[in-house]
Amino acid sequence: MQEDIVLLEKERWKGHILPMPDYTAAEHYAVSVQRTREGFEVELSLRPLPEPRVFTPAEYDWPDRLYADHFEGAAAYGIVRGEELVAAVEICPEEWNNRLRVTELWVKEGERGRGLGKKLLAFAKEEGRRQKRRALVLETQSCNTRAIAFYLREGLSLIGLDLCSYSNEDVSRGEVRLELGLFL
């Protein structure tokens, strides 16, 4: 079935919650940063977590929503069946550095593994090229190894990390913010 990606009008979709499912992480990319005489050594190694950890949206009290106020200029696109949103990507231009940020990439539970995320990410890449952006960037967590594997298969690479984005214990919790990107 051919499904079109359509603009999700801000007036209708602003504040729409993207119901992220709970997920269990058994492994993560362990992050180590060591200062050396020559500078720094940064290592990310796929390792098992001491015990599996369940991640839930409720634990962060911050549900993912379309058209959040802090993403000025965002545009959301999706695949809609009838009145039901089954997949969405939200992109936001970063004017100060001419990049395009993917702020949301969501596929409804039960619809995953059918190529919708790949289709939406391809759309975002093409939109970045159309806008003559120099790069496409997004954020994920070092414990979200399935998402990381997906992004790597789709041509993105590690472009940065933040050791204390979510808490001062991000490294020990195995949940370091990773920035992945693609030069366009």
Side-chain angles (χ1 to χ4, degrees), residues 54-129:
V54 177
F55 291 86
T56 67
E59 121 184 52
Y60 296 95
D61 194 30
W62 188 265
D64 289 7
R65 298 173 189 270
L66 293 177
Y67 293 110
D69 290 337
H70 56 277
F71 290 123
E72 289 185 35
Y77 300 86
I79 297 171
V80 180
R81 292 189 194 133
E83 293 294 312
E84 180 183 26
L85 182 64
V86 296
V89 64
E90 184 178 73
I91 53 178
C92 188
E94 294 180 338
E95 298 300 345
W96 67 279
N97 61 12
N98 197 32
R99 301 185 316 183
L100 188 66
R101 178 166 294 276
V102 174
T103 58
E104 298 290 350
L105 182 60
W106 171 83
V107 177
K108 181 181 175 184
E109 250 187 308
E111 298 290 336
R112 293 175 180 191
R114 298 181 182 173
L116 299 179
K118 182 175 184 165
K119 184 175 181 176
L120 288 167
L121 188 57
F123 176 87
K125 291 176 191 177
E126 187 53 40
E127 187 62 17
R129 289 182 187 102

Side-chain angles (χ1 to χ4, degrees), residues 1-183:
M1 171 190 341
Q2 176 67 20
E3 296 180 289
D4 293 330
I5 297 172
V6 298
L7 174 67
L8 302 174
E9 300 88 6
K10 187 173 185 177
E11 298 75 32
R12 176 173 178 205
W13 293 96
K14 181 176 174 51
H16 180 85
I17 294 175
L18 300 173
M20 297 294 181
D22 298 354
Y23 75 94
T24 301
E27 59 188 3
H28 69 123
Y29 282 90
V31 178
S32 171
V33 178
Q34 300 295 322
R35 187 170 180 189
T36 67
R37 280 190 203 158
E38 296 81 27
F40 293 89
E41 289 181 5
V42 178
E43 181 181 351
L44 280 80
S45 304
L46 190 58
R47 301 271 190 256
L49 286 166
E51 59 186 51
R53 180 157 174 240
V54 177
F55 291 86
T56 67
E59 121 184 52
Y60 296 95
D61 194 30
W62 188 265
D64 289 7
R65 298 173 189 270
L66 293 177
Y67 293 110
D69 290 337
H70 56 277
F71 290 123
E72 289 185 35
Y77 300 86
I79 297 171
V80 180
R81 292 189 194 133
E83 293 294 312
E84 180 183 26
L85 182 64
V86 296
V89 64
E90 184 178 73
I91 53 178
C92 188
E94 294 180 338
E95 298 300 345
W96 67 279
N97 61 12
N98 197 32
R99 301 185 316 183
L100 188 66
R101 178 166 294 276
V102 174
T103 58
E104 298 290 350
L105 182 60
W106 171 83
V107 177
K108 181 181 175 184
E109 250 187 308
E111 298 290 336
R112 293 175 180 191
R114 298 181 182 173
L116 299 179
K118 182 175 184 165
K119 184 175 181 176
L120 288 167
L121 188 57
F123 176 87
K125 291 176 191 177
E126 187 53 40
E127 187 62 17
R129 289 182 187 102
R130 189 188 70 70
Q131 292 182 21
K132 299 187 180 354
R133 300 290 170 180
R134 63 184 183 86
L136 179 86
V137 297
L138 56 81
E139 161 195 349
T140 192
Q141 296 74 35
S142 60
C143 55
N144 197 345
T145 57
R146 287 186 64 201
I148 294 167
F150 168 72
Y151 295 132
L152 294 176
R153 281 193 310 273
E154 296 305 310
L156 281 75
S157 302
L158 179 70
I159 60 170
L161 55 91
D162 185 335
L163 301 176
C164 62
S165 181
Y166 311 113
S167 77
N168 288 348
E169 290 79 38
D170 289 355
V171 173
S172 63
R173 289 171 31 104
E175 188 181 13
V176 171
R177 176 181 170 148
L178 301 180
E179 289 281 321
L180 301 177
L182 172 71
F183 301 127

